[in-house]
Coordinates of all heavy atoms in Angstrom, one line a residue:
Chain A
N298 N -36.6 11.9 -8.3 CA -35.5 11.7 -9.2 C -35.4 10.2 -9.5 O -35.2 9.4 -8.6 CB -34.2 12.2 -8.7 CG -34.2 13.7 -8.5 OD1 -34.9 14.4 -9.2 ND2 -33.5 14.1 -7.5
E303 N -34.8 3.8 -21.0 CA -35.4 4.7 -21.9 C -36.8 4.2 -22.3 O -37.0 3.1 -22.6 CB -34.6 4.7 -23.2 CG -33.2 5.3 -23.0 CD -32.1 4.5 -23.7 OE1 -32.3 3.4 -24.1 OE2 -31.0 5.1 -23.9
G304 N -37.8 5.1 -22.1 CA -39.2 4.7 -22.5 C -40.0 4.3 -21.3 O -41.2 4.1 -21.4
Q307 N -42.5 8.0 -20.0 CA -43.0 8.8 -21.0 C -44.1 9.7 -20.4 O -44.7 9.4 -19.4 CB -43.7 8.0 -22.1 CG -42.8 6.9 -22.8 CD -41.7 7.5 -23.6 OE1 -40.8 8.2 -23.2 NE2 -41.8 7.3 -24.9
K321 N -42.8 16.4 -9.1 CA -42.2 16.6 -10.4 C -41.2 15.5 -10.7 O -40.3 15.3 -9.9 CB -41.5 18.0 -10.5 CG -41.6 18.7 -11.8 CD -41.3 20.1 -11.8 CE -39.8 20.3 -11.9 NZ -39.4 21.7 -12.3
K323 N -38.1 13.7 -12.6 CA -36.9 13.9 -13.4 C -36.3 12.6 -13.7 O -36.0 11.9 -12.7 CB -35.9 14.9 -12.7 CG -34.9 15.4 -13.7 CD -33.9 16.3 -13.1 CE -34.5 17.6 -12.6 NZ -33.6 18.3 -11.8
F326 N -31.7 8.5 -17.9 CA -31.8 7.3 -18.6 C -30.5 6.5 -18.4 O -29.4 7.1 -18.4 CB -32.0 7.5 -20.1 CG -33.4 8.1 -20.3 CD1 -33.5 9.2 -21.2 CD2 -34.5 7.6 -19.7 CE1 -34.7 9.7 -21.4 CE2 -35.7 8.2 -20.0 CZ -35.8 9.2 -20.8
A327 N -30.6 5.2 -18.3 CA -29.4 4.3 -18.3 C -29.6 3.3 -19.3 O -30.7 2.8 -19.6 CB -29.3 3.7 -16.9
G328 N -28.5 2.8 -20.0 CA -28.7 1.9 -21.1 C -28.4 0.5 -20.6 O -28.6 -0.5 -21.4
E332 N -24.9 0.4 -15.6 CA -25.0 1.9 -15.4 C -26.0 2.3 -14.3 O -25.7 3.2 -13.5 CB -25.6 2.5 -16.7 CG -24.8 3.6 -17.2 CD -25.3 4.1 -18.6 OE1 -25.6 3.3 -19.4 OE2 -25.5 5.4 -18.7
Q339 N -23.8 6.6 -7.0 CA -23.1 7.9 -7.2 C -23.3 8.9 -6.1 O -24.5 8.9 -5.6 CB -23.6 8.4 -8.5 CG -22.9 9.7 -8.9 CD -23.4 10.1 -10.3 OE1 -23.1 9.4 -11.3 NE2 -24.2 11.1 -10.4
G340 N -22.3 9.6 -5.8 CA -22.5 10.7 -4.8 C -23.1 10.3 -3.5 O -23.9 10.9 -2.9
S343 N -27.4 9.2 -2.6 CA -28.7 10.0 -2.4 C -29.1 10.8 -3.5 O -30.0 11.6 -3.4 CB -28.5 10.9 -1.1 OG -27.4 11.7 -1.4
Q344 N -28.4 10.6 -4.7 CA -28.8 11.5 -5.8 C -30.2 11.1 -6.4 O -30.9 12.0 -6.8 CB -27.8 11.3 -6.9 CG -26.4 11.9 -6.7 CD -26.5 13.4 -6.7 OE1 -27.3 14.0 -7.4 NE2 -25.7 14.1 -5.9
Y345 N -30.4 9.8 -6.5 CA -31.7 9.4 -7.1 C -32.6 8.7 -6.1 O -32.1 8.0 -5.2 CB -31.4 8.5 -8.3 CG -30.6 9.2 -9.3 CD1 -29.2 9.0 -9.4 CD2 -31.2 10.0 -10.3 CE1 -28.5 9.7 -10.3 CE2 -30.4 10.7 -11.2 CZ -29.1 10.5 -11.2 OH -28.3 11.2 -12.2
L488 N -27.5 2.9 -27.4 CA -28.6 3.7 -27.1 C -29.8 3.2 -27.9 O -29.7 2.7 -29.0 CB -28.3 5.2 -27.6 CG -26.9 5.7 -27.3 CD1 -26.7 7.0 -28.0 CD2 -26.8 5.9 -25.8
S489 N -31.0 3.5 -27.4 CA -32.2 3.1 -28.1 C -32.3 3.7 -29.5 O -32.7 3.0 -30.4 CB -33.4 3.5 -27.3 OG -34.6 3.0 -27.8
S490 N -31.8 4.9 -29.6 CA -31.9 5.6 -30.9 C -30.9 5.0 -31.9 O -31.1 5.0 -33.1 CB -31.6 7.1 -30.8 OG -30.3 7.3 -30.3
D494 N -32.3 4.2 -35.5 CA -31.6 4.8 -36.7 C -31.0 3.8 -37.6 O -31.0 3.9 -38.8 CB -30.5 5.7 -36.2 CG -31.1 7.0 -35.6 OD1 -32.3 7.3 -35.8 OD2 -30.4 7.8 -35.0
K497 N -33.8 2.3 -39.6 CA -34.5 3.2 -40.4 C -33.7 3.6 -41.6 O -34.1 3.8 -42.7 CB -34.9 4.5 -39.6 CG -35.4 5.6 -40.5 CD -36.5 6.4 -39.9 CE -37.0 7.5 -40.9 NZ -38.0 8.3 -40.4
N498 N -32.4 3.8 -41.4 CA -31.5 4.3 -42.5 C -30.8 3.2 -43.2 O -29.8 3.5 -43.9 CB -30.5 5.3 -41.9 CG -31.2 6.6 -41.4 OD1 -32.1 7.1 -42.1 ND2 -30.9 7.0 -40.2
T513 N -40.8 2.1 -31.8 CA -40.5 3.4 -32.4 C -40.5 3.3 -33.9 O -41.0 4.1 -34.6 CB -39.1 3.8 -31.9 OG1 -39.0 3.7 -30.5 CG2 -38.7 5.2 -32.4
D517 N -43.3 4.7 -36.9 CA -42.8 5.5 -38.0 C -43.0 4.9 -39.3 O -42.5 5.2 -40.3 CB -41.3 5.8 -37.8 CG -40.8 7.0 -38.6 OD1 -41.4 8.1 -38.4 OD2 -39.9 6.8 -39.4
K544 N -34.1 10.9 -1.0 CA -34.5 12.2 -0.5 C -36.0 12.5 -0.5 O -36.5 13.4 0.2 CB -33.7 13.4 -1.2 CG -32.3 13.4 -1.0 CD -31.7 14.8 -1.3 CE -30.2 14.8 -1.3 NZ -29.6 15.0 -2.6
Chain B
S1024 N -41.6 14.0 -38.7 CA -41.5 12.7 -38.1 C -40.7 12.7 -36.8 O -39.9 13.6 -36.6 CB -40.9 11.7 -39.1 OG -40.2 10.7 -38.5
N1025 N -40.9 11.7 -36.1 CA -40.2 11.5 -34.8 C -38.7 11.1 -35.0 O -37.8 11.5 -34.3 CB -40.9 10.4 -34.0 CG -41.3 10.9 -32.7 OD1 -40.9 12.0 -32.2 ND2 -42.2 10.1 -32.0
V1026 N -38.6 10.2 -36.0 CA -37.3 9.5 -36.2 C -36.5 10.3 -37.3 O -37.2 10.6 -38.3 CB -37.4 8.0 -36.5 CG1 -36.1 7.4 -36.6 CG2 -38.3 7.4 -35.5
Q1027 N -35.2 10.5 -37.1 CA -34.5 11.2 -38.1 C -34.2 10.3 -39.3 O -33.4 9.3 -39.1 CB -33.2 11.7 -37.5 CG -32.8 13.1 -38.0 CD -31.7 13.7 -37.2 OE1 -31.9 14.5 -36.3 NE2 -30.5 13.3 -37.5
G1028 N -34.7 10.5 -40.5 CA -34.4 9.8 -41.6 C -34.2 10.7 -42.8 O -34.6 11.8 -42.8
W1029 N -33.5 10.1 -43.9 CA -33.2 10.9 -45.0 C -34.0 10.3 -46.2 O -33.9 9.1 -46.4 CB -31.7 11.0 -45.3 CG -31.4 11.8 -46.5 CD1 -31.4 11.4 -47.8 CD2 -31.0 13.2 -46.5 NE1 -31.0 12.4 -48.6 CE2 -30.8 13.5 -47.9 CE3 -30.9 14.2 -45.6 CZ2 -30.5 14.8 -48.3 CZ3 -30.5 15.4 -46.0 CH2 -30.3 15.8 -47.3
D1032 N -39.0 13.5 -44.0 CA -40.4 13.0 -44.2 C -41.4 14.0 -44.6 O -42.3 13.8 -45.4 CB -40.9 12.2 -43.0 CG -40.0 11.0 -42.7 OD1 -39.9 10.2 -43.6 OD2 -39.5 10.9 -41.6
D1050 N -35.9 24.3 -17.8 CA -35.1 24.1 -16.6 C -33.6 23.8 -17.0 O -32.7 24.4 -16.4 CB -35.6 22.9 -15.8 CG -36.9 23.3 -15.1 OD1 -37.2 24.4 -15.1 OD2 -37.6 22.3 -14.7
N1108 N -15.0 13.8 -9.8 CA -16.1 13.0 -9.2 C -15.6 12.3 -8.0 O -16.2 12.3 -6.9 CB -16.6 12.1 -10.3 CG -17.8 11.2 -9.8 OD1 -17.7 10.6 -8.7 ND2 -18.9 11.3 -10.5
D1117 N -21.9 16.7 -2.0 CA -23.0 16.3 -2.9 C -22.8 16.9 -4.3 O -22.5 18.1 -4.4 CB -24.3 16.8 -2.3 CG -25.1 15.6 -1.7 OD1 -24.7 14.5 -1.9 OD2 -26.2 15.9 -1.2
L1118 N -23.1 16.1 -5.3 CA -23.0 16.7 -6.6 C -24.2 17.6 -6.8 O -25.3 17.3 -6.6 CB -23.1 15.5 -7.7 CG -21.9 14.6 -7.6 CD1 -22.1 13.5 -8.7 CD2 -20.6 15.3 -7.8
A1199 N -22.3 16.5 -12.4 CA -23.7 16.8 -12.1 C -24.4 15.7 -11.4 O -24.1 14.5 -11.7 CB -24.4 17.1 -13.4
G1200 N -25.3 16.0 -10.5 CA -26.0 15.0 -9.8 C -27.3 14.7 -10.6 O -27.2 14.2 -11.7
A1201 N -28.4 14.9 -10.0 CA -29.7 14.6 -10.8 C -30.0 15.8 -11.6 O -31.1 15.9 -12.2 CB -30.8 14.3 -9.8
Q1202 N -29.1 16.8 -11.7 CA -29.5 18.0 -12.5 C -29.3 17.8 -14.0 O -28.4 17.0 -14.4 CB -28.6 19.2 -12.1 CG -28.8 19.7 -10.7 CD -28.0 19.0 -9.8 OE1 -27.0 18.3 -10.2 NE2 -28.3 19.0 -8.5
N1203 N -30.0 18.5 -14.8 CA -29.8 18.4 -16.2 C -29.3 19.8 -16.7 O -30.0 20.8 -16.6 CB -31.2 18.2 -16.9 CG -31.4 16.7 -17.1 OD1 -30.6 15.9 -16.8 ND2 -32.6 16.3 -17.6
I1207 N -26.8 17.7 -21.3 CA -27.3 16.5 -20.7 C -28.7 16.2 -21.1 O -29.1 15.0 -21.4 CB -27.1 16.5 -19.2 CG1 -25.7 16.6 -18.8 CG2 -27.7 15.3 -18.6 CD1 -25.4 16.5 -17.3
F1210 N -28.6 15.0 -24.6 CA -28.1 13.6 -24.8 C -29.2 12.6 -24.4 O -29.3 11.6 -25.0 CB -26.8 13.4 -23.9 CG -26.1 12.1 -24.3 CD1 -25.7 11.9 -25.6 CD2 -25.8 11.2 -23.3 CE1 -25.0 10.8 -25.9 CE2 -25.1 10.0 -23.7 CZ -24.7 9.8 -25.0
G1211 N -30.0 13.0 -23.4 CA -31.1 12.1 -23.0 C -32.1 12.0 -24.1 O -32.5 10.9 -24.4
I1213 N -31.3 12.3 -27.3 CA -30.7 11.5 -28.4 C -30.7 10.1 -28.0 O -30.8 9.2 -28.9 CB -29.2 12.1 -28.6 CG1 -29.3 13.4 -29.3 CG2 -28.4 11.1 -29.4 CD1 -27.9 14.0 -29.6
R1214 N -30.5 9.7 -26.7 CA -30.6 8.3 -26.3 C -31.9 7.7 -26.7 O -31.9 6.6 -27.2 CB -30.5 8.3 -24.8 CG -29.2 8.5 -24.1 CD -29.3 8.0 -22.7 NE -29.1 6.6 -22.8 CZ -28.1 6.0 -22.2 NH1 -27.3 6.6 -21.4 NH2 -28.0 4.7 -22.3
I1215 N -33.0 8.4 -26.4 CA -34.2 7.7 -26.6 C -34.7 7.8 -28.0 O -35.5 7.0 -28.5 CB -35.3 8.2 -25.6 CG1 -36.5 7.3 -25.5 CG2 -35.6 9.6 -25.9 CD1 -37.4 7.7 -24.4
G1216 N -34.2 8.8 -28.7 CA -34.4 8.9 -30.2 C -35.9 9.2 -30.5 O -36.3 9.0 -31.6
Q1217 N -36.6 9.8 -29.6 CA -37.9 10.2 -29.9 C -38.0 11.7 -29.7 O -37.3 12.3 -28.8 CB -39.0 9.5 -29.0 CG -39.0 8.1 -29.3 CD -40.0 7.4 -28.3 OE1 -40.4 8.0 -27.4 NE2 -40.2 6.1 -28.5

Side-chain angles (χ1 to χ4, degrees):
Chain A
N298 296 329
E303 294 140 339
Q307 304 288 69
K321 215 164 84 160
K323 197 182 290 171
F326 296 132
E332 228 178 314
Q339 180 176 292
S343 58
Q344 287 291 328
Y345 299 98
L488 317 168
S489 184
S490 62
D494 284 349
K497 170 150 182 177
N498 293 313
T513 309
D517 199 54
K544 289 201 188 114
Chain B
S1024 146
N1025 238 346
V1026 185
Q1027 218 170 261
W1029 180 275
D1032 293 307
D1050 290 342
N1108 184 305
D1117 251 356
L1118 296 181
Q1202 294 86 17
N1203 271 355
I1207 295 185
F1210 196 54
I1213 288 184
R1214 285 196 82 120
I1215 192 169
Q1217 292 174 357

